[in-house]
Amino acid sequence: MDGLYTNSKKGFFKYPDSTRVHRNLPKTKLYEQANADSKLKEMFVTQVEQIIWAQKLSAQTLNIEAHKDVTEIQVFEIKLKGEQLNTEVLQAIDKAIPHPIIFEVKTTTKKQYVTACYKAIGVNGGVSLSEYYQSELSLGEENLARFELPVALNTKGLYEQLLASLFPYDLRENESFTELIHRLDEIKSLAKKQQQVNKKLSNEKQFKNKVIINAELKQIKQQLKQLTA
């Protein structure tokens, strides 16, 4: 899967029986709701075997308070036809469903991972999506470790902790969850820029230009060090 942060913390959790839904979601309805073009529809058809609404995490299904910003969280299982899943498919599903979603993805070779983005829903129903974050790959059911759900006072707190289990960096002291998301986005952007500058340096022949590019590279590395420390 493309464009992801990968983390080896947790990702897979034990969900109480009270949260179980286990309902099949027709792919056609999802991509119609997302106003998918022909290219995206083709991705759904060729990459996705089945989408199951597995769990509903809410005040009614868990002994926690509802929060106005995140009233409930959905857990979807996506069974693939192969190994590949484009991020555009996840984005389409996230835009079609008006609640945050945690995706548990299973490939045909029994590999599994959890992925999700930070999803903010505006007052007018508009959806804003961050980058997608991913757990480490589990190589089969026998190797799959599930953890107890984090303790949370409300649904928003639970959502943030579920997402945080996928993040490559921890929340800093006095840092808000939104600030952490922005920091992760900045790290991603700088890491991409570092790759570009490294390539530029390796292709440069003139010594004076190498010195200038090296200085730029040093600055990027210093910024990354500050953001990831």
Side-chain angles (χ1 to χ4, degrees), residues 60-198:
Q60 290 73 36
T61 63
L62 294 169
N63 190 26
I64 57 176
E65 294 181 6
H67 191 283
K68 62 181 179 63
D69 294 335
V70 180
T71 55
E72 59 186 62
I73 307 146
Q74 315 303 342
V75 181
F76 285 5
E77 292 179 6
I78 300 183
K79 296 180 180 179
L80 302 183
K81 291 183 175 179
E83 301 292 306
Q84 183 183 9
L85 179 62
N86 285 75
T87 304
E88 290 93 326
V89 173
L90 296 178
Q91 290 171 333
I93 298 171
D94 260 317
K95 289 173 182 176
I97 304 296
H99 299 287
I101 306 170
I102 306 296
F103 297 97
E104 293 193 357
V105 182
K106 300 179 181 180
T107 73
T108 49
T109 55
K110 297 185 179 180
K111 295 174 184 173
Q112 299 183 65
Y113 59 86
V114 177
T115 185
C117 69
Y118 178 59
K119 181 175 179 178
I121 301 170
V123 289
N124 297 320
V127 176
S128 172
L129 307 176
S130 75
E131 296 283 343
Y132 280 81
Y133 307 92
Q134 181 179 313
S135 70
E136 68 178 354
L137 203 63
S138 170
L139 300 180
E141 288 286 354
E142 65 277 3
N143 298 315
L144 183 61
R146 286 189 178 269
F147 297 84
E148 297 295 332
L149 275 180
V151 176
L153 296 176
N154 56 50
T155 45
K156 183 182 180 182
L158 177 61
Y159 177 51
E160 291 180 352
Q161 290 194 69
L162 293 177
L163 273 182
S165 75
L166 303 175
F167 289 166
Y169 300 100
D170 293 327
L171 195 69
R172 289 172 169 174
E173 190 176 356
N174 299 322
E175 182 180 42
S176 71
F177 196 79
T178 304
E179 287 170 342
L180 172 58
I181 294 292
H182 290 159
R183 179 162 62 93
L184 293 175
D185 288 343
E186 194 172 353
I187 291 168
K188 177 80 178 289
S189 177
L190 281 170
K192 184 177 180 181
K193 188 176 180 181
Q194 184 180 23
Q195 288 181 333
Q196 294 169 343
V197 175
N198 270 322

